[in-house]
């Protein structure tokens, strides 16, 4: 009758999709983590340097320029919100890993025929929910006005 994949083939296809989702979240998480860390470290370094230079009376002009850079970084950081995006990808990565574990267990604990379509539909629904939640949260955070920054 139907020409679809067998339950075992469908399980393997779904597991591959879940793993690719996990890899996507991991790559994005690392990128966002590096950027969030760089902004924080740069802000810290510029703040420390400007404080030291303010004590050296010959370098006050440079110190005030560094303070201006710190202010600009502090104003731009909430717009990009790297840390929030990093945490969002961390959560997605966890959910994909958990889903892969559940599917692998389901595949290992069923008969030779593989999981039922109903079981696979449940896993696929959870897979779709991860992407839906990720997309919804991403859009909500982009729509929010940036919180006021305090330099």
């Amino acid at each position: 009758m139907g020409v679809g994949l067998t339950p075992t083939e469908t399980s393997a296809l779904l597991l591959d999709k879940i793993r690719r989702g996990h890899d996507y979240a991991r790559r994005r998480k690392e990128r966002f983590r590096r950027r969030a860390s760089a902004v924080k470290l740069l802000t810290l370094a510029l703040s420390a340097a400007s404080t030291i230079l303010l004590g050296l009376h010959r370098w006050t002009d440079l110190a005030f320029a560094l303070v201006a850079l710190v202010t600009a970084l502090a104003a731009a950081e909430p717009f990009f919100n790297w840390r929030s995006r990093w945490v969002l990808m961390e959560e997605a990565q966890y959910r994909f890993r958990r889903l892969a574990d559940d599917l692998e267990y389901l595949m290992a604990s069923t008969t030779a025929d593989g999981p039922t379509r109903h079981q696979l539909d449940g896993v696929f629904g959870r897979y779709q929910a991860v992407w839906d939640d990720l997309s919804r949260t991403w859009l909500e955070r982009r729509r929010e006005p940036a919180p006021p920054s305090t330099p």
Side-chain angles (χ1 to χ4, degrees):
M1 242 209 196
V3 185
L5 300 174
T6 67
T8 302
E9 293 169 334
T10 303
S11 298
L13 177 70
L14 185 53
L15 186 57
D16 182 59
K17 290 175 85 55
I18 292 167
R19 287 180 175 155
R20 283 186 284 149
H22 178 271
D23 290 344
Y24 169 83
R26 181 184 44 77
R27 284 190 312 272
R28 301 288 287 199
K29 178 190 76 172
E30 289 302 316
R31 181 174 148 198
F32 297 149
R33 182 189 56 79
R34 280 192 307 273
R35 290 179 180 184
S37 299
V39 168
K40 288 295 181 191
L41 289 174
L42 185 57
T43 301
L44 177 64
L46 290 173
S47 295
S50 65
T51 302
I52 292 168
L53 291 175
L54 279 173
L56 306 173
H57 299 290
R58 291 182 173 177
W59 298 93
T60 55
D61 292 342
L62 179 58
F64 284 120
L66 293 180
V67 169
L69 285 174
V70 168
T71 303
L73 276 173
E77 196 278 330
F79 176 77
F80 293 107
N81 205 2
W82 299 119
R83 189 178 197 301
S84 176
R85 294 160 81 179
W86 163 17
V87 171
L88 179 64
M89 290 300 152
E90 181 81 35
E91 179 187 1
Q93 187 180 7
Y94 161 77
R95 290 178 67 192
F96 282 126
R97 182 68 250 159
R98 175 66 192 262
L99 193 54
D101 288 346
D102 290 349
L103 180 57
E104 288 169 346
Y105 177 78
L106 180 64
M107 291 167 66
S109 64
T110 57
T111 63
D113 294 338
T116 65
R117 289 286 176 194
H118 179 72
Q119 290 171 315
L120 292 174
D121 287 347
V123 174
F124 184 72
R126 289 174 51 205
Y127 169 77
Q128 293 285 68
V130 173
W131 282 115
D132 288 345
D133 291 345
L134 182 61
S135 296
R136 181 187 39 76
T137 304
W138 183 273
L139 289 173
E140 286 172 0
R141 290 186 183 166
R142 296 311 307 159
R143 286 185 186 122
E144 290 175 3
S149 62
T150 53

